[in-house]
């Protein structure tokens, strides 16, 4: 049987800068996984279908294939707006998904989650959380999703109780690459001791952050601080103030960190050093698990 | 007598993005003031003389005109490097100025000031400080210079005792114009109440800054916060964490704010609200006063 004929449905993680798809058979086995850089920021509303066909030409000629999407694809500037569910709520609502028909594609876009006070939003992370809860249904604690915009999410009784977003990754990029600090900060390289020391300083005195940043530049001008040390220190300071402000979330709670990369390891190490009880889970797999859970709900609804 | 013949010396404030000159007679009267955007960031080392002649064509044909410069023109990437004086020190050392001859121009570049611990540097502000101290020779307290990189400077017995730089203005620009917050933040407009409330929050709990920034975006998505309110809040948060971290400088000290613009007014209002004893002085005049003080030193040295 051709790959095209085997495809039962398509799982799609569609963010601002990436498009990831998994071609799935009826038993939820992955037939193929693919990705491109056709993220939301590059696409006009009427270009999403074409972008998907480009990445999965096997869809050509197939009819009424379910396509289940999560992420920024559901924002106002995306393919179609999928209004937010409001926390506290369960993380996944296929019944609340936005449906659209694009050629032969039968598309459902999962809703994000919003919080009124303090104001916050997520799109995509709720699907990772749903995937995590599929495998850890009794989990009661806090989920940390490190990244460009890190999220801390309090989970209880299968619901997103509350959450908070931190712009740590974006701040690191802006300060390290576009501010005056860029002259003193390397594009890569690391200094473990500098990171740990900066993290510890920022965790114990986060209110001093405003005074510490320019020193990363000055320490090279008046001393001999290396650009790799400066890079690790900037990361330590920013992760430190995030962990300090997120303390009400993680203190005394089981912590699940979603993410398998070096960044997730940094968070795990820092939290363990603070006495945290940390579990780590791969982020990509977990998004797929969340999309599979949504597909199962559709099948239940229609069977 | 032609303007050209009247010029005794030229005062120059040469920063990263601006070039300001004053044409001076022998009695330190300003004959003319001019400015251009030929800042350091636009010029190669061998282009500074030409940039000055472009702005002051009257210098053509004149010989051995003293030109006294302050600012980033003295950095390693500038016209010629003027090595830093080391705090604690007096803010101005014409004897330590870097001299260079460029055609008929007899150029002196005033040194900046560095601090070894915590590492910090200034270039240009030391000349403003010198100008301020000319008019307030007995000042003992803290000078605040708000801007892209705000400086707080502890002055005692005519010396820069210590100082600290805050990247507040640059952070405001990066976050407001280049981060995800830009979608929710206006280019101008203001909301006094939002500013004061954010400032007060950040001053009392500066360690929460990491949790507060993304809310500026989310409050528009889940509510109806205006882009002008978001702009004022971002400013309030950033000025608030600066004032919190600078508290050891200003608490219980006479405070002189150098700057005549809306930004200086924001700092003044915030500090007065905290019980600070604030004086304000125009920044541009004071740079010229500092350059005049340097010129007087040269005359004393040569007479």
């Amino acid at each position: 049987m051709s790959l095209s004929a085997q495809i039962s449905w398509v799982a799609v993680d569609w963010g601002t800068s990436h498009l990831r798809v998994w071609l799935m058979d009826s038993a939820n086995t992955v037939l193929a996984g693919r990705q491109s850089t056709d993220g939301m920021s590059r696409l006009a509303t009427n270009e999403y279908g074409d972008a998907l066909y480009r990445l999965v030409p096997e869809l050509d000629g197939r009819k009424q294939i379910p396509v289940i999407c999560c992420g920024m694809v559901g924002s106002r500037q995306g393919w179609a707006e999928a209004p937010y569910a409001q926390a506290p709520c369960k993380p996944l609502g296929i019944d609340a998904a936005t449906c659209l028909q694009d050629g032969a594609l039968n598309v459902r876009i999962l809703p994000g989650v919003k919080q009124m006070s303090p104001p916050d939003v997520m799109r995509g992370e709720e699907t990772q959380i749903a995937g995590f809860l599929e495998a850890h249904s009794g989990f009661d604690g806090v989920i940390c999703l490190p990244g460009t915009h890190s999220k801390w999410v309090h989970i209880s009784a299968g619901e997103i109780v509350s959450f908070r977003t931190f712009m740590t990754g974006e701040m690191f990029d802006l300060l390290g690459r576009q501010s005056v600090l860029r002259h003193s900060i390397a594009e890569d390289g690391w200094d473990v001791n500098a990171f740990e020391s900066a993290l510890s300083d920022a965790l114990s005195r986060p209110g001093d952050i405003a005074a510490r940043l320019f020193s990363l530049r000055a320490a090279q001008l008046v001393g001999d601080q290396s650009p790799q040390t400066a890079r690790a220190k900037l990361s330590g300071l920013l992760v430190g103030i995030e962990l300090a402000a997120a303390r009400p979330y993680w203190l005394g709670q089981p912590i699940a960190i979603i993410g398998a990369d070096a960044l997730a390891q940094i968070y795990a190490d820092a939290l363990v050093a603070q006495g945290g009880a940390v579990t780590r889970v791969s982020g990509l797999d977990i998004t797929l698990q969340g999309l599979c859970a949504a597909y199962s709900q559709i099948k239940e609804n229609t069977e």
Side-chain angles (χ1 to χ4, degrees), chain A:
Chain A
M1 192 158 63
S2 73
L3 177 58
S4 172
Q6 285 179 279
I7 300 174
S8 283
W9 68 287
V10 182
V12 181
D13 171 21
W14 212 325
T16 304
S17 57
H18 68 265
L19 164 58
R20 292 192 192 95
V21 306
W22 295 268
L23 310 182
M24 310 295 292
D25 73 9
S26 56
N28 276 357
T29 308
V30 177
L31 301 168
R34 295 179 194 161
Q35 52 184 301
S36 82
T37 54
D38 275 333
M40 184 197 72
S41 62
R42 290 198 179 178
L43 299 173
T45 298
N46 61 0
E47 296 173 334
Y48 284 80
D50 289 346
L52 198 54
Y53 278 114
R54 264 199 303 280
L55 194 57
V56 192
E58 293 86 349
L59 291 177
D60 211 17
R62 292 293 309 273
K63 283 182 186 160
Q64 298 304 328
I65 295 272
V67 175
I68 303 184
C69 308
C70 68
M72 292 303 287
V73 64
S75 69
R76 207 165 298 170
Q77 296 80 32
W79 200 351
E81 188 173 4
Y84 297 106
Q86 184 172 330
C89 63
K90 299 231 177 268
L92 191 71
I94 192 70
D95 295 333
T98 293
C99 300
L100 70 97
Q101 199 70 33
D102 193 300
L105 303 176
N106 187 5
V107 180
R108 285 180 182 81
I109 303 177
L110 299 176
V113 178
K114 69 179 173 183
Q115 174 175 277
M116 300 311 285
S117 179
D120 217 322
V121 291
M122 64 171 74
R123 275 203 191 277
E125 292 89 352
E126 77 294 331
T127 302
Q128 294 182 281
I129 292 166
F132 175 81
L133 291 177
E134 279 288 301
H136 308 80
S137 57
F139 181 82
D140 204 305
V142 60
I143 296 178
C144 168
L145 302 106
T148 303
H149 297 158
S150 298
K151 308 266 180 198
W152 289 82
V153 188
H154 178 204
I155 301 290
S156 185
E159 287 202 334
I160 294 172
V161 178
S162 68
F163 62 103
R164 207 72 204 260
T165 303
F166 297 80
M167 295 172 60
T168 307
E170 185 166 19
M171 295 267 283
F172 181 74
D173 279 344
L174 283 175
L175 288 169
R177 292 186 177 160
Q178 301 201 50
S179 82
V180 68
L181 303 184
R182 72 184 184 278
H183 301 299
S184 301
I185 287 184
E187 276 287 314
D188 46 38
W190 200 245
D191 177 335
V192 175
N193 292 336
F195 172 80
E196 288 178 355
S197 154
L199 179 89
S200 165
D201 284 355
L203 253 169
S204 55
R205 291 185 302 279
D208 285 356
I209 182 68
R212 291 176 183 275
L213 292 174
F214 188 74
S215 285
L216 299 176
R217 169 78 177 132
Q220 190 192 39
L221 292 173
V222 309
D224 56 357
Q225 179 175 274
S226 80
Q228 288 74 31
T229 294
R231 181 169 186 271
K233 277 192 187 172
L234 176 61
S235 175
L237 290 175
L238 296 175
V239 174
I241 63 169
E242 175 182 334
L243 293 185
R247 195 179 267 117
Y249 275 83
W250 55 261
L251 196 66
Q253 294 282 335
I255 306 165
I257 299 180
I258 296 184
D261 55 2
L263 182 66
Q265 187 63 51
I266 282 173
Y267 278 71
D269 291 346
L271 286 161
V272 167
Q274 294 290 315
V278 174
T279 311
R280 288 184 57 199
V281 189
S282 159
L284 208 56
D285 295 353
I286 227 164
T287 302
L288 178 58
Q289 283 175 42
L291 290 164
C292 286
Y295 181 65
S296 301
Q297 284 183 297
I298 296 177
K299 288 212 296 189
E300 283 167 24
N301 291 352
T302 53
E303 273 164 12

